[in-house]
Amino acid sequence: MTILYRHLFAGMWLSWALYWWALSRNVKPSVRTESTSSRLLHIVPLMLAVALLWLPHVPIPVLGERFVPLAAWPFWVSAAFTLAGLLFSVWARVHLGSNWSGVVTVKEDHELIQSGPYGIVRHPIYTGLLLAFAGSALARGEWRGILAVVIVLWAFWRKLCTEERWMRERFGSAYQSY
């Protein structure tokens, strides 16, 4: 199961990352961008969460203990969650089109997108990625996965609070209604 975990989940995440990178080129110019220090406050925790999930061992023994049995059903449920989360985030990214950015920005001629996945949840990229991280954590089956998901949740929450503030400033009552 460990070899399959490494290859299946690494393949899903790598495919997602390559696709994400390929789409990152065709975006509108930014008129406002978050500072490097602000960006690091969500990038560094995300890197820590990734390390918790993918390192073979962690130095704190309790984090390496299992919270789900080593069996096929949690693995395949986890794979389905991870895939669904990654696909949902891709759908949201495609739907955003040239308004997307990996950092908190306001774009030239920024549009308020409220359809597609944005008609279902307010932050579908974060929602999809959180589901994908939760699926990967469940597949790992160790307490460090739970810690990784909590860290991801905190990092996304911090980033989306900044985005929310900027979108309220940019779109006013239209964003409040959304």
Side-chain angles (χ1 to χ4, degrees):
M1 196 72 72
T2 303
I3 291 171
L4 184 59
Y5 170 85
R6 268 185 276 197
H7 294 298
L8 178 62
F9 286 82
M12 285 192 285
W13 280 102
L14 182 59
S15 298
W16 174 86
L18 289 172
Y19 184 77
W20 211 254
W21 174 78
L23 285 179
S24 68
R25 300 176 192 283
N26 188 26
V27 297
K28 295 176 183 176
S30 298
V31 295
R32 183 179 180 191
T33 304
E34 73 178 316
S35 68
T36 301
S37 60
S38 175
R39 182 155 194 222
L40 287 174
L41 284 174
H42 54 263
I43 296 282
V44 171
L46 289 175
M47 291 169 56
L48 174 61
V50 168
L52 281 168
L53 283 177
W54 274 278
L55 288 175
H57 304 286
V58 290
I60 303 169
V62 70
L63 292 178
E65 293 180 12
R66 298 195 64 76
F67 68 91
V68 295
L70 190 57
W73 72 265
F75 177 84
W76 292 112
V77 167
S78 303
F81 283 176
T82 302
L83 182 61
L86 292 174
L87 290 175
F88 193 68
S89 72
V90 166
W91 180 33
R93 168 64 183 88
V94 169
H95 204 74
L96 265 182
S98 60
N99 289 298
W100 177 84
S101 176
V103 298
V104 180
T105 62
V106 175
K107 300 289 189 176
E108 264 182 28
D109 302 317
H110 204 115
E111 301 166 79
L112 179 57
I113 308 296
Q114 301 177 57
S115 58
Y118 290 86
I120 300 170
V121 295
R122 194 161 173 147
H123 296 281
I125 291 175
Y126 301 145
T127 302
L129 291 177
L130 189 59
L131 179 60
F133 267 98
S136 297
L138 184 61
R140 170 62 73 186
E142 298 171 358
W143 288 106
R144 63 180 158 150
I146 301 295
L147 179 58
V149 170
V150 168
I151 291 169
V152 168
L153 181 62
W154 177 84
F156 286 164
W157 181 259
R158 193 212 153 275
K159 186 176 178 185
L160 75 83
C161 284
T162 303
E163 285 181 4
E164 293 267 329
R165 187 175 71 251
W166 287 20
M167 293 297 104
R168 280 192 305 274
E169 290 170 7
R170 170 74 172 92
F171 297 108
S173 62
Y175 193 74
Q176 282 301 120
S177 297
Y178 168 64

